Amino acid sequence: MPRYEYRCRSCGDTFEVTRPMAESAEPAVCPDGHEDTVKLLSAVAVGGSASASAPRGGGGGGGGCCGGGCCG
């Protein structure tokens, strides 16, 4: 189940709420009971295989920042 990060506008506390995606837009009350909160945009790291992100049409290579196409 996803976790969403919020910040309380009243006390400045940052907290997380675990809830289903269907409830992601619902308001969240801070741990101190304040209702004036805002959902924060969080950066998410997603892993995958190198072949899933490899350029089409050749290029191949050994990875790195440029996929190996311009290195070496």
Side-chain angles (χ1 to χ4, degrees):
M1 194 172 316
R3 292 193 313 204
Y4 299 94
E5 191 173 21
Y6 293 84
R7 177 173 292 134
C8 178
R9 291 181 178 169
S10 298
C11 67
D13 189 24
T14 300
F15 61 97
E16 292 182 346
V17 175
T18 302
R19 57 172 51 159
M21 290 178 73
E23 297 175 12
S24 66
E26 298 293 322
V29 177
C30 94
D32 290 332
H34 305 122
E35 295 183 8
D36 189 11
T37 60
V38 61
K39 186 164 71 168
L40 302 176
L41 181 61
S42 300
V44 178
V46 178
S49 67
S51 62
S53 62
R56 294 181 185 219
C65 66
C66 61
C70 62
C71 301

